[in-house]
Amino acid sequence: MMIFLNDHRILFGSALCLFIFLTLYIAIIPALDNQKINRPLPRQAKVLTNEQRAGKMVYIENGCVACHTQQVRSVEMDNVFGKRPSIPADFAVNRRTDFWRNTANLMGTQRAGPDLTNVGERQPSAEWHLIHLYQPRAAIEASIMPSYEFLFIERDYLQPGDVEVKVPEKFLKNKRKKIVATVKALQLVAYLKSLKQTDYTDKTIVPAFLYKQKKKEEGGAQNGENLPDGAELFTANCASCHQASGEGVPGAFPPLKGSPVVTGGDLELYVTIIMKGYDPRPEFATMPPVGTNANFTPEDVTAIMNHERTSWGNNAKKVTLDEIKVIMEKIK
């Protein structure tokens, strides 16, 4: 022990090794693992343009994160702010601020103002945003947001390329002046307009005929049961999240390929998930009650389960219509 304390090379070397170990264990390895399990959602917005990225820096330097969040929680009061609760995959498209600074996700911690996750769709007008930044009370009478007049300049006459902001007269200090947005104001508005939440429940990418869910007239019987086409039902109701490959999206939707729930023997859990939804782990999005929303019949549920249990390399025993009828009656 005395040798360890008296020899500075051993002491400093041990401290360095401990520092390197903790850096790897606490920061680097989790970050690499996070990149593997979290990926952008299908159809998610592209990375920010140069103008939008500059606007994000204006957002940061003016402390907007102190009053506005960018995270929709799984509570009823947040329904007005987005199409669904936020999930880790929503932030997978974010990039480092620069070489020295890490990613700024800007999720925030409090809401003195509304959440901005989907503000680009709630307020798509650039003119509205500019007026709101110049004088919030001109856009929302009860707003407590401070004015950002310093992002604008006053001119006697407009110059080529100027973007005039049509502020109501009662909010102008000098009614003869023209209010012009600076480059920073325009960049900030471009960033705000880019904030749009990807709706993974949108089925517009699925051909309309798939919603008809017709029963097959020929060869539609499965084990002597007249069932609809499970593949069509899956495509219309499940593929937008779990993907046509059954592999899901890391950090958003769990895979059905090789899933112990799909291939296992707990059929009651399986049917309950389809009909009533599921919230298994925090790293995945909450599954809505797909079966209830789509008014699935026992035949529909049986067909979907058999499709999932025998696709993508899954090789589980098919379920029978009678089994599913008993379970659906039980979980009503």
Side-chain angles (χ1 to χ4, degrees):
M1 183 67 179
M2 293 302 297
I3 295 176
F4 176 79
L5 294 175
N6 291 333
D7 191 330
H8 70 279
R9 291 171 297 182
I10 297 177
L11 183 61
F12 292 162
S14 299
L16 178 61
C17 290
L18 178 62
F19 173 78
I20 293 173
F21 169 77
L22 290 176
T23 300
L24 288 169
Y25 186 74
I26 296 174
I28 297 177
I29 294 177
L32 293 174
D33 188 54
N34 192 50
Q35 287 182 324
K36 293 179 182 177
I37 64 175
N38 292 308
R39 295 176 188 167
L41 290 167
R43 311 186 309 281
Q44 190 161 10
K46 297 179 181 179
V47 294
L48 299 178
T49 65
N50 290 336
E51 182 183 28
Q52 292 165 351
R53 191 178 300 110
K56 184 175 183 179
M57 297 308 299
V58 178
Y59 184 96
I60 293 171
E61 71 184 33
N62 283 284
C64 302
V65 70
C67 296
H68 294 283
T69 57
Q70 290 186 36
Q71 52 175 317
V72 180
R73 301 169 299 173
S74 184
V75 294
E76 186 176 354
M77 67 178 291
D78 278 17
N79 291 347
V80 297
F81 296 132
K83 304 167 184 176
R84 54 172 176 77
S86 298
I87 54 178
D90 287 323
F91 306 96
V93 293
N94 290 352
R95 299 290 183 266
R96 292 185 65 88
T97 302
D98 53 39
F99 180 80
W100 301 107
R101 289 177 291 180
N102 204 347
T103 306
N105 288 323
L106 306 178
M107 290 186 285
T109 58
Q110 66 174 348
R111 288 178 182 156
D115 183 90
L116 301 180
T117 299
N118 204 37
V119 71
E121 289 195 6
R122 293 204 310 269
Q123 296 290 354
S125 169
E127 291 76 11
W128 185 93
H129 283 290
L130 289 170
I131 293 173
H132 183 245
L133 287 171
Y134 181 83
Q135 177 47 262
R137 263 64 64 192
I140 303 173
E141 187 175 357
S143 176
I144 61 171
M145 176 176 157
S147 170
Y148 288 82
E149 289 185 22
F150 56 86
L151 293 177
F152 302 83
I153 56 177
E154 293 183 344
R155 294 194 193 280
D156 292 321
Y157 303 98
L158 295 177
Q159 298 179 4
D162 280 349
V163 176
E164 182 182 6
V165 183
K166 300 291 186 178
V167 181
E169 281 195 6
K170 72 175 184 176
F171 295 103
L172 294 175
K173 295 177 180 177
N174 188 335
K175 293 179 173 54
R176 297 180 179 178
K177 297 284 187 178
K178 305 288 187 183
I179 306 301
V180 176
T182 63
V183 172
K184 282 194 171 184
L186 297 174
Q187 290 171 339
L188 178 55
V189 169
Y191 172 65
L192 293 173
K193 289 179 62 180
S194 76
L195 297 178
K196 298 178 181 180
Q197 191 180 44
T198 302
D199 184 8
Y200 59 74
T201 63
D202 179 16
K203 296 177 182 175
T204 57
I205 62 167
V206 181
F209 71 87
L210 292 178
Y211 288 103
K212 296 178 182 178
Q213 302 176 5
K214 292 182 179 178
K215 302 199 183 285
K216 284 198 175 293
E217 296 178 1
E218 298 179 5
Q222 299 180 23
N223 297 327
E225 299 169 338
N226 188 26
L227 299 177
D229 190 309
E232 287 188 0
L233 284 169
F234 177 85
T235 302
N237 296 280
C238 314
S240 61
C241 294
H242 295 291
Q243 306 301 293
S245 63
E247 295 180 351
V249 177
F253 318 114
L256 302 182
K257 178 180 179 180
S259 167
V261 174
V262 173
T263 59
D266 192 346
L267 301 183
E268 183 174 334
L269 172 62
Y270 196 174
V271 175
T272 302
I273 290 172
I274 294 173
M275 297 304 297
K276 296 187 175 182
Y278 199 41
D279 189 10
R281 298 201 300 268
E283 68 267 28
F284 291 124
T286 300
M287 176 174 167
V290 175
T292 300
N293 294 343
N295 296 316
F296 278 176
T297 64
E299 289 80 6
D300 294 332
V301 176
T302 303
I304 286 180
M305 289 176 64
N306 284 337
H307 171 71
E308 294 176 353
R309 288 167 71 86
T310 59
S311 299
W312 320 299
N314 293 344
N315 191 27
K317 179 183 176 182
K318 289 186 177 182
V319 299
T320 67
L321 179 57
D322 288 339
E323 287 178 308
I324 303 309
K325 282 182 177 178
V326 171
I327 294 173
M328 289 185 67
E329 186 65 30
K330 180 181 178 181
I331 67 173
K332 275 186 179 179

